[in-house]
Amino acid sequence: MDIGMTWAGFSMLAFALLAAGVIVGFLSGLLGIGGGGILVPVLYETFAALGVDPAIRMHMAIGTSLAVIIPTSLRALMAHSANGVVDWVAVRRIGPWIVIGVVLGIMFADQVTGTTLKWVWVVFGTLFAAKMAFGRDTWRLGHDLPALPKLEIFSVLVGIISVLMSIGGAAFIVTFLTLYGRPILTAVATSSAIGPLIAIPGAIGMMWAGWGHPGLPPLSLGFVSLLGAALIVPSSVLVAPVGVRLAHGVSRRKLELAFAVFLVVIVLRFLSSLILE
């Protein structure tokens, strides 16, 4: 199926993206995580159902997800900053190197195939699932942030991988900060300050990387679906409270296991498509 600039194709794309926003909002509220880890596989399946060129499906999913993360990450940062729990010393050390990693990740994403991006998801999705299933809050590597160059190298790698997976980096940053003695609330708040540093240059970079590419869906700016971002943000925000209400009746451990199961399903989905290619 070809989603050209026809009313039928436009309407089908809009409806599919609204549905994607509903799914993302519900799962984000239920599992208590940022939308990027959920949105990429949902968008990938949406673009696949709409007949978007397989060569750019992952690129479109990643670019659009990064654009969606921008307003949500900024809102989270403002809320945490108002409560005074952001570790700005850590942000100043981590932030510039994160941005360098994002730039490198964009340069890499511009050159790689959708197959490579799927493998990135398979590898790190598996690691995240293992952390959710088997990790413990009591694990520690130290009582303060490591000295140069460990933190800086880690930050560059986080920037690269976060762009290639289209996530706000929270899974990396929260885990890293808690392993080095930061309370979980401080770690979560500090990671919210990193999200915009990944999402803003990441989305701009994906626009640049896909500029003028043949086969882009309607109303796309490079590898970012403007229509997708415009529809997903409000629909996901509207539905998220439903997932939140359901989550309040479930223990944190069960939610962690639920997210681990979700990641395993997505990893298996991408892995099966890699094997069948």
Side-chain angles (χ1 to χ4, degrees):
M1 176 174 56
D2 180 17
I3 54 169
M5 286 296 290
T6 64
W7 279 112
F10 181 87
S11 300
M12 187 175 296
L13 177 62
F15 178 79
L17 291 171
L18 275 172
V22 170
I23 294 170
V24 168
F26 175 74
L27 292 177
S28 295
L30 176 64
L31 300 176
I33 62 168
I38 295 172
L39 188 53
V40 169
V42 171
L43 277 173
Y44 178 84
E45 296 298 340
T46 301
F47 289 133
L50 292 170
V52 174
D53 184 356
I56 64 170
R57 283 177 196 165
M58 279 297 289
H59 297 77
M60 288 296 306
I62 287 171
T64 305
S65 177
L66 285 167
V68 171
I69 289 173
I70 293 174
T72 56
S73 62
L74 287 173
R75 185 178 62 178
L77 171 59
M78 288 187 291
H80 285 299
S81 181
N83 290 324
V85 289
V86 177
D87 184 345
W88 290 108
V89 173
V91 173
R92 284 192 290 270
R93 282 196 63 187
I94 294 172
W97 298 96
I98 287 279
V99 174
I100 291 173
V102 169
V103 173
L104 293 175
I106 290 296
M107 295 172 63
F108 186 61
D110 185 38
Q111 302 298 321
V112 301
T113 64
T115 297
T116 301
L117 295 176
K118 287 182 187 179
W119 276 115
V120 172
W121 250 95
V122 167
V123 172
F124 288 96
T126 301
L127 292 176
F128 288 154
K131 169 62 172 64
M132 287 290 182
F134 306 113
R136 297 291 181 270
D137 292 338
T138 54
W139 289 357
R140 291 288 183 272
L141 293 177
H143 297 291
D144 203 356
L145 296 178
L148 188 85
K150 291 181 180 179
L151 180 61
E152 287 71 15
I153 293 174
F154 169 79
S155 301
V156 171
L157 292 175
V158 168
I160 294 173
I161 297 167
S162 294
V163 166
L164 295 181
M165 294 185 71
S166 187
I167 58 177
F172 293 109
I173 300 300
V174 171
T175 300
F176 185 83
L177 291 177
T178 54
L179 286 174
Y180 280 96
R182 295 297 192 272
I184 183 63
L185 180 59
T186 300
V188 170
T190 303
S191 74
S192 73
I194 301 300
L197 298 179
I198 294 172
I200 295 173
I204 294 172
M206 292 304 284
M207 292 178 186
W208 165 79
W211 194 266
H213 196 286
L216 294 174
L219 296 181
S220 294
L221 194 60
F223 290 135
V224 174
S225 171
L226 299 180
L227 179 64
L231 293 177
I232 288 171
V233 170
S235 61
S236 62
V237 169
L238 182 65
V239 176
V242 178
V244 171
R245 286 195 294 271
L246 181 60
H248 283 175
V250 182
S251 70
R252 176 183 173 182
R253 183 58 184 156
K254 288 182 179 178
L255 290 176
E256 289 177 338
L257 291 175
F259 186 50
V261 171
F262 172 82
L263 287 174
V264 169
V265 171
I266 298 304
V267 165
L268 291 176
R269 169 67 180 88
F270 282 150
L271 191 59
S272 65
S273 68
L274 288 167
I275 294 173
L276 296 175
E277 283 181 351

